[in-house]
Amino acid sequence: MQVRVVMLVDLDYFFAQCEERRNPSLKDKPVVICVYSGRSEDSGAVSTANYIARKFSVKSGIPISLAKKKLKEEDAVFLPVDHEFYEEISEEIMGILSSYAHRFELVGIDEAYLDVSEKVKGDFEEAGELAQKIKKEVKVKQGLTCSIGIGPNKLVAKIAAGIRKPDGLTIVKPEQVEGFLSPLPVRRLIGVGRKTGKKMQAMGIETIGDLAKYDIQKLIEVFGKNLGTYFHNASIGIDDEPVQEKGEVKSVSRLSTLKEDTRDLELVLEKTDQLCDEVYAKLVELGLSFKSVGIVAVMTDMSVRSRSKTFGSPTNELEVLKKTVKELFERFLSESEFQARRVGVRVSHLVKEQERQKHITNFIQHG
Ligand code: TTP
Ligand code: MG
């Protein structure tokens, strides 16, 4: 069997980096993204923070009030989460990443596994070059940095990605797995949380290497058969989980900055026609038709607005896409008084082309 080459790509300080992208003046300040609970002005938790804020030990999960205390002396910026905006950027980037992988698995909004075994023919050096290319494309096209881990399976790739951050690249070849894992604390393994970590510590297990040396029967006695066996295998870097698609593509979208801030329909359409062409090309590539068309506008005050329309049955026509986008923007601009800075086009409720054909055939037969 050919060796597998698996990558884990994780975007750096994702929500905060998205905010830095739309407002570059934030880049040299501590930036804290907050989930406000609404109960009182500062109640809620930190979603994430940029690396400057992290130097002051501000991180995901701590109370906003505590983050404010830690950054009291600094010119820090606290922003509420804008999920829709991050989703859009995520979708664009995942589109780039998936084009490099033979198999692609989305893990979260800012994280994905890529199986590139076939693309690099099992060669880890080549995988490293591919990773550099991916990092560059994400940076040039979307302005964001990411960290990549490469290993012979998902477990090693995931741990490798977390070793050097931000903007890191860590390659662990099959023969390096043991040496790579053994000095790391057991907490690095998925499934070893605080409680399990404490339990292991009491058993004299601090590092992954300690765990690897521990008698597997004893692990099974303490943690049960499944977990005990998993911990043993994980400690020596064994993981057969395949990289696999979870769910299907739910939408295709493209977003782009206008030449100038505007609320002029012609100028907007000049850009969105181009975006429609790109969205359409992607749909053709994926063999998908769409039932819904949406538009997105990022206004000069950085607010994000969207509108959409859903048809009775799916279509795959570029003209329908362009016409709907035009109608939606016409109505949207007449209702809003702001200027648009960025505009986007999105299609969703996607249907496989064969399904659409079946739908039409049924319609003709029964109609
Ligand atoms: P992560 O990838 O865990 O963190 P990150 O991208 O902010 O930072 P890193 O450079 O270490 O990868 O999570 C991705 C996003 O998920 C993060 O930007 C915000 C969100 N998130 C939360 O809202 N709450 C949390 O507790 C965590 C861990 C993440
Ligand atoms: Mg991340």
Side-chain angles (χ1 to χ4, degrees):
M1 200 182 77
Q2 198 192 32
V3 271
R4 284 200 297 155
V5 186
V6 177
M7 277 186 199
L8 187 276
V9 183
D10 186 330
L11 298 164
D12 299 322
Y13 63 105
F14 182 51
F15 293 2
Q17 208 186 168
C18 291
E19 296 295 348
E20 287 183 1
R21 185 184 98 170
R22 75 168 149 193
N23 184 0
S25 74
L26 300 177
K27 265 189 188 298
D28 51 0
K29 297 177 185 174
V31 177
V32 186
I33 310 302
C34 305
V35 182
Y36 291 102
S37 70
R39 237 163 283 143
S40 70
E41 199 187 332
D42 281 345
S43 66
V46 168
S47 163
T48 193
N50 69 356
Y51 277 76
I52 304 180
R54 288 184 199 192
K55 282 199 202 124
F56 298 87
S57 55
V58 170
K59 54 184 183 182
S60 301
I62 70 167
I64 297 168
S65 52
L66 180 60
K68 289 209 163 156
K69 217 179 280 168
K70 289 178 187 286
L71 292 166
K72 203 168 51 202
E73 308 292 329
E74 306 302 313
D75 182 19
V77 179
F78 293 80
L79 296 167
V81 281
D82 179 353
H83 232 279
E84 205 175 331
F85 178 56
Y86 314 142
E87 285 283 355
E88 269 158 27
I89 296 179
S90 167
E91 256 178 51
E92 300 278 340
I93 294 177
M94 294 307 162
I96 295 174
L97 299 184
S98 61
S99 72
Y100 281 94
H102 176 62
R103 269 193 286 279
F104 177 80
E105 180 178 336
L106 190 68
V107 194
I109 188 165
D110 84 329
E111 204 178 321
Y113 286 106
L114 280 62
D115 188 326
V116 297
S117 317
E118 292 183 20
K119 197 148 192 153
V120 303
K121 297 179 220 66
D123 185 334
F124 278 75
E125 306 288 340
E126 210 174 315
E129 285 161 27
L130 188 69
Q132 295 287 12
K133 221 166 126 189
I134 293 174
K135 282 162 75 76
K136 194 163 169 204
E137 187 174 341
V138 171
K139 179 75 190 162
V140 170
K141 291 203 172 145
Q142 291 295 322
L144 260 62
T145 64
C146 60
S147 296
I148 300 184
I150 305 177
N153 55 46
K154 285 161 70 170
L155 177 130
V156 176
K158 166 89 181 168
I159 297 176
I163 291 292
R164 248 168 255 135
K165 256 184 161 295
D167 206 9
L169 171 59
T170 304
I171 305 171
V172 183
K173 295 179 188 170
E175 64 272 22
Q176 299 170 325
V177 168
E178 210 188 315
F180 169 71
L181 292 178
S182 69
L184 299 175
V186 275
R187 285 289 301 276
R188 289 267 184 176
L189 293 175
I190 294 179
V192 183
R194 194 155 37 156
K195 247 166 105 184
T196 308
K198 280 225 170 102
K199 211 167 184 179
M200 287 186 177
Q201 203 173 28
M203 294 158 72
I205 303 170
E206 298 275 354
T207 65
I208 298 181
D210 296 337
L211 185 59
K213 278 185 274 173
Y214 210 86
D215 181 49
I216 178 171
Q217 288 312 326
K218 285 196 188 131
L219 285 179
I220 289 174
E221 273 168 36
V222 178
F223 297 104
K225 184 147 184 12
N226 287 341
L227 208 53
T229 312
Y230 162 75
F231 285 146
H232 175 73
N233 286 338
S235 72
I236 51 177
I238 292 180
D239 171 30
D240 294 328
E241 281 294 305
V243 173
Q244 52 195 342
E245 307 269 339
K246 297 252 171 69
E248 292 169 23
V249 184
K250 292 209 179 72
S251 67
V252 174
S253 63
R254 289 290 179 273
L255 190 73
S256 183
T257 307
L258 292 159
K259 271 190 287 200
E260 55 192 89
D261 298 345
T262 187
R263 41 178 291 100
D264 180 279
L265 183 64
E266 290 307 314
L267 284 181
V268 168
L269 293 183
E270 203 178 291
K271 179 58 82 184
T272 55
D273 266 8
Q274 218 176 307
L275 298 177
C276 286
D277 289 337
E278 289 176 30
V279 166
Y280 180 72
K282 190 73 195 175
L283 288 175
V284 171
E285 185 192 317
L286 298 170
L288 295 170
S289 299
F290 55 95
K291 241 178 100 172
S292 295
V293 174
I295 57 160
V296 189
V298 181
M299 314 308 279
T300 41
D301 66 349
M302 292 307 161
S303 58
V304 181
R305 316 287 167 91
S306 57
R307 297 278 188 277
S308 66
K309 178 177 174 172
T310 301
F311 312 118
S313 58
T315 171
N316 66 348
E317 284 177 52
L318 176 61
E319 285 317 306
V320 176
L321 174 60
K322 288 189 173 173
K323 190 167 149 270
T324 313
V325 167
K326 181 174 180 219
E327 284 169 14
L328 289 169
F329 264 111
E330 233 164 11
R331 203 166 339 136
F332 168 68
L333 288 170
S334 69
E335 289 165 6
S336 145
E337 56 218 42
F338 291 103
Q339 310 244 33
R341 171 167 293 182
R342 288 165 67 74
V343 289
V345 171
R346 174 200 299 255
V347 291
S348 54
H349 292 109
L350 303 178
V351 181
K352 284 244 183 282
E353 189 54 18
Q354 298 98 294
E355 299 297 318
R356 193 184 71 92
Q357 300 281 5
K358 242 189 271 164
H359 186 88
I360 297 172
T361 319
N362 280 344
F363 186 72
I364 295 169
Q365 280 169 354
H366 304 114

